[in-house]
Amino acid sequence: MTTDSPAAAQRVEPGDEGLAERRSKLARLRRDGVDPYPVGVRVSDSLAAVAERFAGRLQAGEDSGERVRVAGRLVLRRGHGRLAFLVLREADAELQVMAQSHVLGDDGMARVADLDVGDWVAAAGPVVRTRRGELSVSATEVTLLGKALRPLPDKWHGLRDVETRYRQRHVDLAVNAEARRVFTVRAAVIRALRAELDARGYLEVETPLLHPIPGGALARPFVTHHNALDLDLYLRIAKELYLKRLVAGGLPRVYEIGRVFRNEGLSTRHNPEFTMLESYQAYADYTDVMELTQALVQRAAREATGATTVTVDGADVELGGTWTRRPLLELVRTATGRDELGYDADPRLLRDVAASHGVKAEDGWGAGKLVLELYEKLVEHTLREPTFVTDYPVEVSPLARRHRSDPHVTERFELIVGGRELANAFSELTDPDEQRERFEAQARARAGGDTEAMPVDADYLRAMEFGMPPMGGLGIGVDRLVMLLAGVPSIRDVILFPTLRPEPGA
RNA sequence: GGGUCGCUAGCUCAACUGGCCAGAGCAUCCGGCUCUUAACCGGACGGUUCAGGGUUCGAGUCCCUGGCGACCCA
């Protein structure tokens, strides 16, 4: 808590010279006994409620006689001497306030004239339509609720500079309707995912963010330290291993929507912290999960956008209907034109084909990893319509159950839409002995320098040894789903405060 | 990590192949106006051109180093 002294009112920080005018207004208000940051001012209606209630009502020049008290940010002011029009905004609702000196008096009018665009303002008075037909509050009282010391961006052009939009989201949201739209879509998507899972009898749970052993995905973790236990802990890279413990504990359907953290680079599609939905269902396999995934995405699309068609890179993509399923190996064979490719094929053949497509194979890579790399290089970005790519190699799927009819691959799929991965799912591996072998293979890769490979998690293995039902698990990248449904190209557009380098000198 | 592009007033943008005092609109301030809709009219204020170094008679512009960001690639 700081109390502004007269000295503070006079203080002008370097680079803040433009604030001097507003600071002197602030000082003047305080001198006149006006609290520029008051508390306890109630409103009778939101701006949206007034606009809705009077839509289509009142003739031009008519007074409803109904008094309201409304509030919002002052975004526009038009002065006419002894008359002034103010426009208040709250979210996407705007309402005009008419201030007249014969109502407010000279003092009241002078205080209205002292308001700046950006100030938070309350106005009380009857709802009227002006002679020109604009719904307005004819103010008998105007109250400053919060003085703005910094000016808002240009009223017409808004804020364009993307860096400032991300760094100062409060300004972006205040002036850019598009930013508000995207985050409204985001909320609708998450609401729809929850509603569908709740309706299907899934229990929403919360599992730890701090993990003693990072697991559940192939990724580098953030490390932190607990002082009292003198213990290194890791921010979770996935929720998988805890959620599966819950199914083992007898909760047949669970899900969690929450942040996960991966210590990786930044890009249009990657933010170090992002939101993932994970769900697990006992007695289900990956084909059941396909049905669930399709239902979740389609419901989110309908409820967030009112349609099942989205636009990706300028082309329409239809999310409705039943989605295609294609095995990974088949896609790679088609893309390379090499039907002899397979997980049993001569490893030199795969390495040659990989090299001929510009995939630089590393030493420890087996057939499965090579096929996956070829798929990511040649195929993934070409899959525009929703596609379940199925049957990923065992080598790159340490937590997925081996396929019931092909030992080289797992019962796993990824959902690709618009060339981008949206979901990853499998029939879960529930055999503790095989899981131990998989972990050990991962540990060898880790020893060989693969920093994303999983460490052995003995506690998880012990949990498995108590017995697990067969289950199907799903992970959906919520940010990417929002990007798709909101039609924006960068993950930073769907995360309110994306990770950025600190500003120099900040 | 590599490449390309960008950074000019609070905001949105100008400024020719290096050449007059770096301009405009909005915002702000002063004056006018009781029905505006980005109100309008008159006037004023506003700059470390991202930072530092270099080339030049002269740098927003060319060169080097660094910062931050966007896009593409790995």
Side-chain angles (χ1 to χ4, degrees):
Chain A
M1 294 291 131
T2 57
T3 306
D4 276 57
S5 61
Q10 297 306 318
R11 188 183 57 226
V12 177
E13 303 282 341
D16 289 353
E17 291 79 5
L19 280 61
E21 193 67 49
R22 292 191 179 205
R23 283 213 170 270
S24 69
K25 279 185 188 172
L26 189 68
R28 193 159 66 237
L29 286 167
R30 290 204 158 103
R31 210 167 41 235
D32 294 347
V34 176
D35 182 356
Y37 301 103
V39 70
V41 179
R42 310 270 178 221
V43 300
S44 69
D45 298 271
S46 69
L47 302 180
V50 173
E52 194 181 338
R53 194 156 76 238
F54 289 92
R57 289 176 53 193
L58 298 180
Q59 301 294 317
E62 188 181 350
D63 184 336
S64 70
E66 186 177 331
R67 282 186 61 87
V68 296
R69 184 190 294 273
V70 295
R73 196 192 278 276
L74 178 61
V75 292
L76 224 47
R77 199 180 55 184
R78 296 181 280 270
H80 292 264
R82 307 179 75 76
L83 167 71
F85 297 99
L86 311 176
V87 178
L88 302 187
R89 178 191 294 157
E90 182 180 57
D92 287 320
E94 292 186 351
L95 188 64
Q96 180 170 276
V97 171
M98 180 164 55
Q100 300 176 90
S101 69
H102 79 260
V103 177
L104 293 168
D106 289 346
D107 285 355
M109 209 57 198
R111 226 170 300 135
V112 168
D114 251 2
L115 293 173
D116 288 299
V117 167
D119 289 353
W120 290 88
V121 172
V127 177
V128 304
R129 268 195 201 280
T130 62
R131 293 209 280 269
R132 295 294 184 84
E134 181 75 21
L135 188 70
S136 306
V137 172
S138 179
T140 58
E141 197 186 330
V142 175
T143 313
L144 175 64
L145 297 183
K147 186 70 192 162
L149 294 176
R150 294 177 187 271
L152 239 35
D154 188 285
K155 64 186 174 189
W156 187 243
H157 297 100
L159 180 65
R160 294 259 176 83
D161 183 80
V162 287
E163 182 175 352
T164 311
R165 287 187 46 229
Y166 297 151
R167 286 196 195 281
Q168 302 192 41
R169 190 68 89 177
H170 46 280
V171 178
D172 185 34
L173 290 168
V175 300
N176 290 334
E178 167 64 9
R180 296 192 294 271
R181 182 190 71 86
V182 169
F183 292 104
T184 306
V185 167
R186 184 181 178 107
V189 167
I190 291 171
R191 198 182 314 127
L193 295 174
R194 270 210 174 91
E196 182 65 23
L197 288 161
D198 290 345
R200 288 172 180 244
Y202 284 75
L203 186 70
E204 182 170 11
V205 297
E206 293 176 277
T207 63
L209 274 81
L210 297 174
H211 288 189
I213 296 173
L218 303 171
R220 293 180 60 183
F222 286 92
V223 192
T224 186
H225 189 79
H226 187 274
N227 291 335
L229 295 177
D230 188 21
L231 174 70
D232 278 344
L233 290 167
Y234 301 87
L235 297 184
R236 67 184 180 190
I237 56 173
K239 316 176 189 89
E240 168 140 2
L241 301 185
Y242 285 94
L243 291 171
K244 280 152 84 168
R245 282 175 169 95
L246 297 179
V247 178
L251 304 177
R253 296 184 176 204
V254 294
Y255 76 96
E256 182 172 5
I257 296 173
R259 217 67 64 80
V260 297
F261 306 84
R262 296 187 182 175
N263 204 339
E264 295 163 354
L266 304 160
S267 82
T268 328
R269 289 177 298 281
H270 299 86
N271 195 65
E273 54 178 307
F274 60 100
T275 299
M276 192 146 78
L277 159 70
E278 287 190 47
S279 72
Y280 293 83
Q281 178 186 353
Y283 324 123
D285 68 13
Y286 75 147
T287 63
D288 299 311
V289 180
M290 286 183 212
E291 186 277 323
L292 172 66
T293 304
Q294 189 178 301
L296 287 169
V297 172
Q298 289 175 348
R299 178 167 183 165
R302 278 193 305 273
E303 295 187 4
T305 73
T308 53
T309 307
V310 294
T311 305
V312 181
D313 302 333
D316 281 357
V317 172
E318 177 55 50
L319 301 178
T322 300
W323 298 340
T324 312
R325 305 178 182 190
R326 303 286 299 280
L328 181 87
L329 181 60
E330 181 194 309
L331 290 167
V332 171
R333 281 175 173 164
T334 305
T336 56
R338 305 287 288 264
D339 282 348
E340 69 273 31
L341 291 184
Y343 302 111
D344 270 340
D346 187 334
R348 280 171 305 185
L349 168 68
L350 266 169
R351 296 187 93 82
D352 288 348
V353 173
S356 73
H357 286 97
V359 172
K360 279 173 277 176
E362 290 173 21
D363 282 351
W365 290 8
K369 176 70 171 168
L370 286 162
V371 170
L372 179 66
E373 290 288 328
L374 277 166
Y375 157 78
E376 287 182 352
K377 174 100 182 186
L378 301 177
V379 183
E380 186 175 272
H381 64 275
T382 68
L383 300 171
R384 315 303 299 176
E385 301 296 318
T387 306
F388 290 118
V389 177
T390 66
D391 304 345
Y392 279 63
V394 172
E395 179 185 348
V396 295
S397 312
L399 301 169
R401 186 190 192 283
R402 209 174 282 271
H403 198 283
R404 64 197 80 177
S405 56
D406 179 351
H408 299 100
V409 296
T410 55
E411 296 197 357
R412 171 181 171 191
F413 72 83
E414 287 192 359
L415 169 64
I416 311 297
V417 182
R420 295 174 194 118
E421 178 196 339
L422 269 192
N424 180 25
F426 23 94
S427 302
E428 300 293 336
L429 176 55
T430 51
D431 174 342
D433 291 336
E434 179 165 5
Q435 185 66 73
R436 184 180 300 278
E437 288 167 21
R438 301 277 196 92
F439 274 146
E440 281 164 0
Q442 286 288 310
R444 284 192 296 277
R446 207 175 162 78
D450 182 350
T451 54
E452 294 193 344
M454 290 178 193
V456 177
D457 187 335
D459 184 71
Y460 176 65
L461 287 171
R462 184 176 60 185
M464 293 185 79
E465 285 166 1
F466 281 93
M468 278 184 173
M471 64 178 111
L474 167 66
I476 292 181
V478 173
D479 310 280
R480 290 183 183 181
L481 179 57
V482 175
M483 286 167 66
L484 179 75
L485 297 179
V488 298
S490 170
I491 197 169
R492 290 178 165 184
D493 291 322
V494 303
I495 292 177
L496 281 167
F497 299 100
T499 305
L500 297 170
R501 270 196 183 81
E503 285 178 280

